[in-house]
Amino acid sequence: MDLDVVNMFVIAGGTLAIPILAFVASFLLWPSALIRIYYWYWRRTLGMQVRYVHHEDYQFCYSFRGRPGHKPSILMLHGFSAHKDMWLSVVKFLPKNLHLVCVDMPGHEGTTRSSLDDLSIDGQVKRVHQFVECLKLNKKPFHLIGTSMGGHVAGVYAAYYPSDVGSLCLVCPAGLQYSTDNQFVQRLKELQDSAAIQKIPLIPSTPEEMSEMLQLCSYVRFKVPQQILQGLVDVRIPHNSFYRKLFLEIVSEKSRYSLHQNMDKIKVPTQIIWGKQDQVLDVSGADILAKSIANCQVELLENCGHSVVMERPRKTAKLIVDFLASVHNTDNNKKLN
């Protein structure tokens, strides 16, 4: 082989080796940085732009795609200890002509975290309303989606601000009172009684605890590499004291059953999506809501746990789009009549 050709391959190999080694080093040494890059990449790929808006001295961070049009805007509220990017897996399958807004909930990611903030469900509802007012999302009724804690907030929001919300989607929402507790809730009550605040299953501080939390929240058993588990923990550990404070607030007597206490005030068309194998919040909650909300459609997903958005993103997106279409068509027919 010609020496010049050999030299070309050596140079090319060396050039390629640099980014490959950088990637491997990032994966092994800085997995948390890799996770942030991953979210940045998917936001960019899906056309989601990050913006900030302020209500007095309080900052909200959100991502969005599209502009308000004749179809309702969609506001998406994430769950406990998550962030706006958890919706990206669903956004991937939503039409690009929809106006989507995903906001970081109070104290999460880029939204202000203050020791003076009211983290109760009522307090979070008020903050979300401030965000809505800042963006003028309520110039006409919008579609509100929330999952888990975000579903709890979304349901109460729809009860408190009925003129803002045109339709509602609750994905395995918290905030309901069951006749019997599942194993997860029983375990939480035991931890509260023993004052073992450091052992809340939804607040992992080691890769092993992170793996256990993923198994608790998902029916699908993901095989997550140790480095990624470590990266997920590294990202969360600086925030764990806040998560504990928030968790104790939302399970307090003031907040625990806020959705249950207000569900009969929800008058807008409502969609309930729940994984049948949810180990965190029992699927029987869907029936509780359906009996109290007049215009309610229930969708139960087989082989799906609590992390509906992560486990069944394509199906979730389709259900949302179909529901919106049916509500929109009904509204149009009413106008014609």
Side-chain angles (χ1 to χ4, degrees):
M1 184 180 289
D2 191 287
L3 186 60
D4 289 334
V5 176
V6 173
N7 286 337
M8 181 184 72
F9 275 102
V10 170
I11 293 169
T15 303
L16 288 172
I18 293 172
I20 291 171
L21 288 173
F23 176 83
V24 171
S26 296
F27 181 70
L28 296 176
L29 302 177
W30 305 292
S32 59
L34 200 61
I35 290 168
R36 290 189 177 93
I37 292 170
Y38 167 82
Y39 284 125
W40 170 85
Y41 169 79
W42 274 109
R43 282 198 305 268
R44 186 177 177 86
T45 301
L46 296 173
M48 296 292 287
Q49 301 179 57
V50 176
R51 293 288 185 272
Y52 298 88
V53 69
H54 293 83
H55 174 80
E56 297 176 351
D57 61 346
Y58 194 89
Q59 173 179 278
F60 294 98
C61 179
Y62 67 100
S63 60
F64 77 97
R65 187 174 75 186
R67 292 286 186 273
H70 69 282
K71 293 183 179 181
S73 296
I74 300 177
L75 175 59
M76 310 172 94
L77 308 182
H78 65 73
F80 170 79
S81 76
H83 47 75
K84 60 187 175 300
D85 293 331
M86 72 161 288
W87 292 106
L88 292 175
S89 55
V90 172
V91 168
K92 178 182 177 182
F93 299 106
L94 290 175
K96 291 186 177 179
N97 63 343
L98 294 175
H99 178 221
L100 308 177
V101 179
C102 307
V103 63
D104 285 326
M105 297 292 279
H108 290 75
E109 199 77 4
T111 291
T112 294
R113 178 178 301 172
S114 168
S115 59
L116 302 176
D117 215 9
D118 179 3
L119 297 174
S120 68
I121 295 301
D122 276 13
Q124 293 191 61
V125 168
K126 290 172 184 173
R127 282 296 186 197
V128 172
H129 184 62
Q130 290 170 358
F131 172 72
V132 166
E133 295 266 290
C134 285
L135 260 60
K136 295 182 171 55
L137 267 180
N138 53 356
K139 286 182 73 173
K140 68 177 188 177
F142 58 87
H143 183 59
L144 181 59
I145 304 177
T147 184
S148 198
M149 180 192 78
H152 193 170
V153 174
V156 176
Y157 188 103
Y160 286 5
Y161 303 102
S163 63
D164 283 10
V165 181
S167 51
L168 178 68
C169 176
L170 304 179
V171 184
C172 50
L176 297 174
Q177 188 168 7
Y178 297 85
S179 56
T180 57
D181 294 331
N182 64 9
Q183 289 185 350
F184 173 71
V185 175
Q186 288 175 11
R187 183 180 173 189
L188 285 181
K189 288 184 175 179
E190 289 170 3
L191 290 173
Q192 282 183 300
D193 292 341
S194 64
I197 189 175
Q198 302 296 322
K199 296 296 182 181
I200 298 171
L202 297 179
I203 308 177
S205 55
T206 66
E208 292 73 26
E209 290 175 358
M210 174 59 71
S211 180
E212 290 173 6
M213 187 190 80
L214 293 176
Q215 290 182 30
L216 171 68
C217 293
S218 304
Y219 175 78
V220 178
R221 292 293 178 256
F222 299 106
K223 292 183 179 179
V224 184
Q226 183 74 10
Q227 288 86 354
I228 294 298
L229 290 172
Q230 184 63 60
L232 292 170
V233 170
D234 290 346
V235 168
R236 295 172 65 99
I237 281 179
H239 310 289
N240 276 356
S241 59
F242 166 75
Y243 294 152
R244 291 188 189 98
K245 179 182 177 182
L246 171 61
F247 186 83
L248 292 176
E249 185 61 55
I250 61 178
V251 300
S252 68
E253 187 175 344
K254 177 182 178 182
S255 291
R256 178 174 289 184
Y257 304 126
S258 290
L259 177 56
H260 200 105
Q261 293 158 1
N262 289 282
M263 59 186 176
D264 60 336
K265 299 173 188 172
I266 298 173
K267 305 302 180 185
V268 296
T270 300
Q271 179 182 49
I272 310 297
I273 303 176
W274 218 302
K276 282 191 175 182
Q277 284 72 37
D278 193 332
Q279 298 178 79
V280 178
L281 299 169
D282 195 84
V283 66
S284 61
D287 189 51
I288 294 172
L289 289 165
K291 288 177 178 176
S292 294
I293 302 173
N295 191 353
C296 187
Q297 177 179 312
V298 174
E299 304 286 351
L300 303 183
L301 305 186
E302 292 281 0
N303 303 322
C304 183
H306 186 65
S307 299
V308 173
V309 172
M310 305 300 292
E311 294 181 76
R312 303 291 292 279
R314 185 191 296 268
K315 179 66 174 178
T316 301
K318 184 179 187 305
L319 290 172
I320 291 168
V321 170
D322 290 348
F323 178 70
L324 274 173
S326 67
V327 171
H328 196 62
N329 289 338
T330 300
D331 289 344
N332 286 340
N333 290 336
K334 285 180 180 178
K335 289 175 184 177
L336 291 173
N337 294 330

